[in-house]
């Protein structure tokens, strides 16, 4: 962080920056968020900058901007087929926290550990939480990209549990095009996390692997359980998806650590 910014309280910077961006988003003709979604995104942005600084903020903004763009791929076609995201992809509070709750908890944990337990042993958990943070967004962007690209361009879609051909947009359906898009997306945001210094190059690889595991498990949940339980909404599944991605990356890092 530049010296002139370092002298300011990061929470004040977070409040000012996110208020300015929220005002711009409010008056923008193209709405990426609903009014309530904008308020929750403002709070999320303040939390992330305040806990992880600009580095963590870059990751979440990359997810939001790229994820919003991917959602709009082939929008007219997806709306005609009835498989587009509701509100033409504008995100509400449920979408904000379905995507970011796990990442926010990782960020908060990494921030609080030095304050509550400053001994060296506790600090060893901070790199794992930072990995979990990046992995959660890597997983969610992978899932979003796989789903939206698959719905727009998937030539052949299969139910992940049976490999039977199903229509595009079916819960639990996968396609080659979507799967490849998901891998590319997870790698892109993981590299952003590495570029800003949150994770190592090994962490990038772990995020890609964890995102692949979590995205496919999310498809299994969609194919087998989601229609059976009313409480298992898309937002709840998104939380489970990002949780699986974060936990998988952390466990992989723990297993291969010396």
């Amino acid at each position: 962080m530049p010296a002139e910014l370092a002298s300011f309280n990061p929470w004040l910077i977070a409040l000012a920056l996110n208020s300015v961006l929220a005002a711009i988003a409010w008056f923008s003709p193209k709405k990426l968020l609903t009014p309530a979604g904008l308020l929750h995104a403002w709070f999320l942005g303040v939390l992330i900058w305040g806990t992880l600084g600009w580095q963590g903020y870059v990751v979440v903004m990359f997810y939001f901007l790229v994820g919003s763009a991917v959602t709009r791929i082939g929008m007219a076609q997806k709306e005609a087929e009835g498989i587009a995201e509701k509100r033409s992809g504008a995100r509400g509070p449920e979408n904000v926290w379905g995507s970011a709750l796990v990442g926010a908890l990782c960020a908060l944990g990494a921030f609080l550990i030095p304050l509550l337990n400053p001994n060296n042993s506790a600090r060893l958990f901070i790199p794992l939480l930072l990995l979990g943070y990046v992995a959660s967004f890597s997983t969610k962007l992978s899932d979003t990209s796989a789903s939206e690209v698959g719905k727009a361009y998937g030539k052949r879609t299969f139910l992940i549990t049976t490999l039977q051909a199903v229509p595009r947009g079916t819960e639990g359906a996968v396609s080659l095009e979507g799967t490849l898009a998901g891998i590319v997306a997870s790698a892109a945001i993981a590299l952003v996390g590495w570029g800003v210094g949150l994770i190592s190059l090994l962490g990038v690889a772990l995020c890609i692997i964890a995102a692949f595991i979590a995205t496919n498990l999310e498809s299994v949940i969609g194919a087998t359980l989601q229609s059976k339980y009313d409480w298992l909404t898309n937002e709840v599944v998104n939380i489970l998806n990002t949780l699986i991605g974060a936990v998988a990356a952390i466990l992989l890092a723990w297993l291969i650590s010396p």
Side-chain angles (χ1 to χ4, degrees):
M1 180 180 295
E4 60 271 19
L5 289 181
S7 60
F8 289 97
N9 186 307
W11 294 99
L12 295 178
I13 297 173
L15 287 168
L17 174 64
N18 283 280
S19 296
V20 170
L21 292 179
I24 293 172
W26 179 266
F27 291 105
S28 173
K30 180 172 287 188
K31 303 299 183 184
L32 300 181
L33 292 153
T34 67
L38 183 60
L39 176 62
H40 285 254
W42 175 87
F43 178 81
L44 173 67
V46 171
L47 176 66
I48 296 302
W49 187 292
T51 54
L52 296 184
W54 67 269
Q55 296 93 333
Y57 197 81
V58 166
V59 171
V60 74
M61 285 298 291
F62 184 89
Y63 161 73
F64 172 68
L65 294 174
V66 175
S68 296
V70 168
T71 301
R72 283 167 167 71
I73 291 176
M75 180 59 74
Q77 174 191 326
K78 289 184 287 190
E79 287 181 334
E81 295 177 7
I83 57 176
E85 290 293 317
K86 59 185 180 180
R87 301 185 297 255
S88 297
R91 286 162 162 77
E94 71 282 8
N95 305 115
V96 171
W97 296 112
S99 302
L101 178 61
V102 172
L105 291 175
C106 288
L108 195 58
F111 174 75
L112 290 176
I113 281 177
L115 298 178
L116 300 179
N117 193 354
N119 64 70
N120 290 333
S121 60
R123 288 178 179 271
L124 294 176
F125 290 102
I126 294 177
L128 293 176
L129 288 171
L130 294 178
L131 176 63
Y133 173 80
V134 178
S136 71
F137 286 110
S138 184
T139 296
K140 190 65 195 75
L141 188 59
S142 172
D143 174 60
T144 299
S145 300
S147 175
E148 297 301 331
V149 171
K151 286 190 290 187
Y153 300 119
K155 293 183 173 60
R156 302 172 66 189
T157 52
F158 305 90
L159 197 64
I160 193 169
T161 52
T162 64
L163 297 184
Q164 291 181 335
V166 292
R168 289 184 296 187
T170 301
E171 289 292 348
V174 296
S175 67
L176 176 60
E177 295 83 358
T179 299
L180 292 176
I183 294 172
V184 170
S186 66
I189 195 167
L191 285 169
V192 170
W194 168 72
V196 298
L198 292 180
I199 60 174
S200 65
L201 277 177
L202 175 59
V204 172
L206 296 180
C207 284
I208 296 170
I209 295 170
F212 182 80
I213 293 170
T215 298
N216 282 283
L217 285 178
E218 190 266 352
S219 295
V220 172
I221 293 171
T224 59
L225 298 175
Q226 193 166 0
S227 63
K228 296 180 181 179
Y229 301 100
D230 292 338
W231 60 268
L232 205 56
T233 63
N234 285 337
E235 288 70 38
V236 173
V237 172
N238 285 337
I239 292 173
L240 292 174
N241 179 38
T242 53
L243 179 62
I244 292 169
V247 170
I250 290 171
L251 286 178
L252 287 170
W254 179 73
L255 288 172
I256 65 176
S257 63

